[in-house]
Amino acid sequence: MAIKFKGVDFIEFDTLLNDDERLVRDNTRKFIEENLIPIIEMCNREGRFPKELIKPMGELGFYGASLKGYGCAGMSAVEYGLMTQELERGDSGVRSFVSVQSGLCMYPIYAFGSEEQKQKYLPKMALGEILGCFGLTEPDAGSNPGAMRTRARKDGDGYVLNGEKMWITSGSIADIAIIWAKVEDEDNRVRGFIVETDRPGFKAADVHGKFSLRASVTSSLSLQDVRIPAENLLPESGGLRSPLSCLNQARYGIAWGAIGAAMACYDCALQYAQFRKQFHDQPIASHQLVQEKLVWMISEITKAQLLALQVGRLKDLGRAKPVHISMAKRNNVWMALECARMARDILGANGIADEYPIFRHMANLESVKTYEGTHDIHALIIGEHITGYAAF
Ligand code: TGC
Ligand code: FAD
């Protein structure tokens, strides 16, 4: 059964978007339809990240798309969100790659870097000629990054870094790693460093055996006495606030991206239900219980679109707070995972086959629920905001 995506719009959501926003979405959708959808099933099966898309995505301005200058596209937050929606409609792993390159590597250089660092890295990163990864999580510091053990100490006119990072997207394909470390000589203040991955003492090893995000590279990083010059410090970084503010960028993209994954699952399940017949030679779409699932899905997708759009509009006005982004990430990823599970159910046995995109999205979304702050950590972030009590 050929499944072509026509978009999901129940309440004339499109009328809330301007021409530029629709253009970004439609161009990204076309790119994904033509370049990712035909290969993603095999990439996922083989556990292969589609590296052949790195350059074309750079040419289309997908990296650092919401940054201004330095060869970046200068998109609005809403345009950026619609782009990530379409990327993740293809696959969460490809959206992850773009999120990390943009929100977690280019953004910290843009926000905390020197002018020289921005000139040196951002134009090439925008084209995908330099790839980045973001090292915050460690084997013993996931939800609580403040417990990180990675240390930097001053040594002559540079720094020496030691530590381990875990679950790092794009780790082994990156040219540079943004490494967050406590600086011993500054009372263990957290600071960000640009570490070229070919420096002696830096090693990346891929995580194998993943059931989720199979078309994405996930690695552990080891830094053993890695020497870097002083100019690799991100001079404006300081405190845990710095890496956490990068997460706002990536979490915002995920809030939209999850809608894309949910749309893919809904669209597939709806078409399947109209085609598949069981009992009295009737399509399963005619059964009340199947309809209820489809109605839940389209209702939740519609609510998620409105939530993401309002947070995007606030972001464009400079008024989006981290808690707004937490709510959008938490709700929309949960919604997408529930949609994927229901869609899987509607496809019956076919739901477990990779001929259909649903199980892949479902498995991917299990990671998306965990990374960038787990579902429960975002509940606690919002809970602290509304009650005044930190319950971590
Ligand atoms: P806490 O004391 O609350 O905060 C420390 C300082 O940071 C400030 N802050 C933020 N600033 C900007 N944006 C945010 N979202 C912020 N959240 C907190 C805060 O105001 C404070 O500032 P200051 O100036 O007073 O020092 O810190 P805590 O240690 O109690 O931790 C709080 C908690 C749990 C919310 C935080 O640590 C957290 O968000 N944990 C989740 C960890 C996480 O999301 N890790 C993600 C790793 S990267 C990743 O997953 C990439 S996946 C990419 C992909 O493939 O797509
Ligand atoms: P833990 O923190 O050990 O949490 C385990 C469980 O305990 C969760 O259910 C959590 O909600 C719960 N929990 C923890 N603390 C509390 C509490 N106080 N109260 C209630 N419940 C709690 N990190 C990076 O730095 N860079 C990357 O590029 C990156 N990419 C990733 C890619 C993938 C595919 C995955 C799976 C992860 C990636 N991560 C990355 C790591 C990710 O951010 C962490 O996995 C995440 O922050 C959770 O940390 P943890 O896995 O150590 O879980």
Side-chain angles (χ1 to χ4, degrees), residues 95-96 99-100 104 134 136-137 142-145 169 240-241 244-245 247-248 251 254 322 371-373 377 381 392:
R95 196 271 310 137
S96 267
S99 289
V100 168
L104 297 183
F134 177 87
L136 180 64
T137 304
S143 297
N144 181 20
T169 300
L240 198 54
R241 168 179 286 275
L244 292 178
S245 67
L247 299 183
N248 295 332
R251 290 168 176 172
I254 291 172
Y371 69 33
E372 296 281 1
I377 289 297
I381 291 170
F392 298 103

Side-chain angles (χ1 to χ4, degrees), residues 90-383:
D91 190 73
S92 303
V94 172
R95 196 271 310 137
S96 267
F97 173 80
V98 174
S99 289
V100 168
Q101 177 80 354
S102 307
L104 297 183
C105 296
M106 294 175 72
Y107 176 80
I109 293 172
Y110 185 83
F112 309 122
S114 65
E115 190 53 38
E116 292 72 32
Q117 290 170 336
K118 292 179 204 181
Q119 298 285 357
K120 180 175 175 186
Y121 291 109
L122 294 179
K124 286 189 176 163
M125 294 183 83
L127 289 170
E129 290 171 4
I130 294 180
L131 303 183
C133 68
F134 177 87
L136 180 64
T137 304
E138 300 185 356
D140 295 321
S143 297
N144 181 20
M148 72 174 70
R149 290 191 187 151
T150 301
R151 292 290 187 275
R153 71 178 150 77
K154 283 196 178 129
D155 185 64
D157 57 357
Y159 290 88
V160 175
L161 270 61
N162 278 286
E164 305 286 330
K165 299 288 178 183
M166 189 62 205
W167 299 109
I168 306 305
T169 300
S170 302
S172 67
I173 58 170
D175 303 292
I176 58 167
I178 304 294
I179 295 292
W180 299 94
K182 290 184 176 170
V183 180
E184 291 174 355
D185 320 73
E186 295 181 24
D187 204 15
N188 282 335
R189 190 158 76 118
V190 172
R191 303 201 74 181
F193 298 87
I194 302 171
V195 180
E196 296 90 346
T197 56
D198 57 2
R199 290 211 173 255
F202 185 99
K203 286 203 188 90
D206 284 345
V207 176
H208 294 291
K210 288 183 297 173
F211 286 115
S212 174
L213 287 181
R214 291 182 50 72
S216 167
V217 174
T218 314
S219 318
S220 61
L221 309 180
S222 158
L223 294 98
Q224 285 185 357
D225 289 329
V226 178
R227 284 174 188 282
I228 52 168
E231 66 255 28
N232 284 25
L233 168 73
L234 292 171
E236 304 302 325
S237 67
L240 198 54
R241 168 179 286 275
S242 300
L244 292 178
S245 67
C246 303
L247 299 183
N248 295 332
Q249 313 305 316
R251 290 168 176 172
Y252 169 74
I254 291 172
W256 281 98
I259 299 172
M263 284 176 166
C265 295
Y266 167 76
D267 184 60
C268 178
L270 177 60
Q271 290 193 45
Y272 187 90
Q274 289 169 329
F275 159 88
R276 170 77 175 167
K277 290 184 178 159
Q278 285 297 290
F279 292 99
H280 323 297
D281 202 27
Q282 289 296 311
I284 57 171
S286 68
H287 299 306
Q288 292 176 356
L289 292 175
V290 173
Q291 287 187 8
E292 200 277 334
K293 290 187 180 79
L294 292 166
V295 169
W296 190 93
M297 290 160 73
I298 194 153
S299 304
E300 292 301 324
I301 289 171
T302 302
K303 289 189 262 176
Q305 286 173 310
L306 295 172
L307 176 59
L309 182 63
Q310 171 62 3
V311 174
R313 295 275 180 244
L314 287 176
K315 203 165 187 306
D316 277 327
L317 293 169
R319 293 192 346 232
K321 295 182 182 154
V323 282
H324 297 150
I325 295 169
S326 282
M327 181 178 283
K329 191 270 183 187
R330 178 176 187 270
N331 180 78
N332 291 7
V333 175
W334 162 78
M335 171 288 294
L337 191 48
E338 290 301 307
C339 279
R341 288 170 178 160
M342 284 185 189
R344 211 292 305 152
D345 184 50
I346 288 172
L347 265 71
N350 276 322
I352 70 159
D354 67 5
E355 179 190 347
Y356 298 90
I358 293 173
F359 207 96
R360 173 170 52 79
H361 280 299
M362 191 175 84
N364 284 344
L365 287 162
E366 290 289 350
S367 284
V368 183
K369 186 183 178 206
T370 287
Y371 69 33
E372 296 281 1
T374 69
H375 184 76
D376 287 347
I377 289 297
H378 286 295
L380 299 181
I381 291 170
I382 301 166

Side-chain angles (χ1 to χ4, degrees), residues 379-392:
L380 299 181
I381 291 170
I382 301 166
E384 179 181 11
H385 178 76
I386 60 175
T387 67
Y389 294 103
F392 298 103

